[in-house]
Amino acid sequence: MPNVTATTGFILTGFSDIQELQTLCGVLFLVMYMAAVMSNLIIIILTTIDLQLQTPMYFFLKNVSLLDVFFVSVPIPNFFVNSLTHNNSISTLGCVFQVFLMTLFAAGEVFVLTAMSYDRYVAICSPLHYDAIMNGGTCVLMAGVSWATGALFGAIYTAGTFSMPFCGSNVIPEFFCAISSLLSISCPKSLLGIYMSLGIGVCLGLSCFICVVISYFHIFSIVLKIPSTKGQSKAFSTCIPHLTVFTVFIATACFVYLKSPSDVPSIPDRLFSVLYTVLPPALNPLIYSLRNSDVKCAFRRLQQNICSRGSLHLKLQSIL
């Protein structure tokens, strides 16, 4: 008979029991966290203040960057503090919030990326009706539904995970409250509700994946018919970054959420947990800035405005 315990908290083992190495990991994660947050904040600022980026595609990109900032801000600061204080404990309520918020932002990002694929489909396959279909109200509605659906799924998933007691150890061999590790310490009788929640997530994720595949099937069939290479290149420049971001996020999320639970995660398991947590938020701005001339031009305009205002301020100070 399993040892049912009323869990009041969990122990996050992180990456090492050696305090010096744990501190080093915390500092490295802080550097990656700051890079991810700053790059996404630049995207948010550019898509907010630059008039040439006031289009549906960049509206959705701003939502993706917001979700990335929130998503990476859930586990990393807590891990950094724990690595410095060498206190690896987390309360049950804290773990609940981690699971809920990370699921909310992850699911919300999948839905927003799916909305972006529909936006690209309308822009390339029905350009004459693009303004009528993807108007401001439609974009806000699609983004709002994405966030709300993510919150709903996060609530269902979190309720299914924590509604039943845990059996045995309260040690989570990760640096955050990973679903797979929580499954490994859940009582067998409680797994039914958890797997039902997981099944709902798989269905929603698969539906989004199918929508993206169908959208890009039609997009590529239209783009390949464009006679000029320049026209094809312009169309691909707006589609390839989105498809890359979606693929990276789905691939890492599937490995983290769909892998079988284990008491002692292997090195690849922990590596994919890191990639899932840090890689998409850090790569998304880089992918869009490298492949998108509009974003690069907007960034140059922002730099010029800052430099011109700085020089004007210095001139005024010298005059006064």
Side-chain angles (χ1 to χ4, degrees):
M1 183 176 179
N3 181 22
V4 180
T5 57
T7 305
T8 58
F10 299 95
I11 304 297
L12 305 174
T13 60
F15 296 97
S16 174
D17 294 330
I18 304 173
Q19 291 187 353
E20 292 77 10
L21 187 57
Q22 193 176 27
T23 303
L24 178 62
C25 290
V27 173
L28 290 175
F29 269 66
L30 179 65
V31 172
M32 291 188 290
Y33 169 74
M34 294 301 295
V37 170
M38 291 301 296
S39 57
N40 278 286
L41 286 178
I42 290 173
I43 293 293
I44 293 170
I45 292 170
L46 291 177
T47 53
T48 301
I49 67 175
D50 195 283
L51 296 178
Q52 296 188 22
L53 298 184
Q54 304 302 310
T55 63
M57 184 180 76
Y58 295 110
F59 170 77
F60 290 123
L61 178 58
K62 177 165 61 177
N63 277 267
V64 170
S65 292
L66 276 170
L67 287 163
D68 280 337
V69 169
F70 293 147
F71 177 78
V72 77
S73 297
V74 175
I76 302 301
N78 180 73
F79 172 67
F80 174 69
V81 172
N82 288 349
S83 67
L84 291 183
T85 60
H86 306 298
N87 178 19
N88 296 332
S89 63
I90 183 173
S91 65
T92 301
L93 184 61
C95 199
V96 168
F97 274 109
Q98 270 200 0
V99 172
F100 171 71
L101 292 175
M102 291 187 72
T103 306
L104 186 163
F105 300 136
E109 183 161 343
V110 171
F111 293 127
V112 172
L113 289 172
T114 305
M116 288 182 73
S117 71
Y118 177 73
D119 171 72
R120 292 299 84 207
Y121 164 77
V122 176
I124 294 174
C125 299
S126 302
L128 297 179
H129 302 93
Y130 179 73
D131 292 334
I133 297 174
M134 299 302 298
N135 56 63
T138 302
C139 293
V140 171
L141 179 62
M142 294 174 72
V145 169
S146 298
W147 284 75
T149 307
L152 177 62
F153 177 62
I156 294 173
Y157 206 69
T158 305
T161 304
F162 291 94
S163 60
M164 296 294 180
F166 294 94
C167 297
S169 174
N170 66 338
V171 176
I172 298 177
E174 298 279 358
F175 67 95
F176 66 100
C177 290
I179 297 295
S180 57
S181 297
L182 289 171
L183 287 176
S184 66
I185 61 175
S186 296
C187 298
K189 290 183 180 180
S190 67
L191 292 179
L192 178 60
I194 298 174
Y195 282 128
M196 285 180 63
S197 303
L198 187 60
I200 295 173
V202 170
C203 292
L204 290 175
L206 190 60
S207 300
C208 292
F209 178 77
I210 292 173
C211 289
V212 172
V213 169
I214 293 174
S215 296
Y216 276 101
F217 174 79
H218 290 288
I219 288 171
F220 288 149
S221 63
I222 294 295
V223 170
L224 293 175
K225 294 178 183 178
I226 298 176
S228 66
T229 306
K230 185 177 180 180
Q232 290 183 355
S233 177
K234 184 178 180 180
F236 280 130
S237 68
T238 62
C239 296
I240 296 301
H242 168 262
L243 193 58
T244 304
V245 168
F246 183 82
T247 303
V248 170
F249 190 81
I250 288 294
T252 54
C254 284
F255 187 89
V256 171
Y257 283 96
L258 300 183
K259 70 184 180 71
S260 58
S262 59
D263 295 329
V264 182
S266 61
I267 293 177
D269 290 343
R270 298 192 183 195
L271 177 61
F272 270 93
S273 295
V274 174
L275 293 179
Y276 166 69
T277 309
V278 180
L279 186 64
L283 278 185
N284 290 357
L286 185 64
I287 292 172
Y288 275 100
S289 62
L290 287 177
R291 300 285 304 181
N292 194 299
S293 59
D294 292 338
V295 174
K296 289 188 284 189
C297 291
F299 185 68
R300 282 194 292 267
R301 286 193 294 270
L302 179 62
Q303 286 180 313
Q304 291 171 358
N305 289 335
I306 294 174
C307 292
S308 62
R309 290 179 182 178
S311 61
L312 179 61
H313 180 69
L314 290 175
K315 289 180 180 179
L316 289 175
Q317 279 186 330
S318 63
I319 293 172
L320 295 174

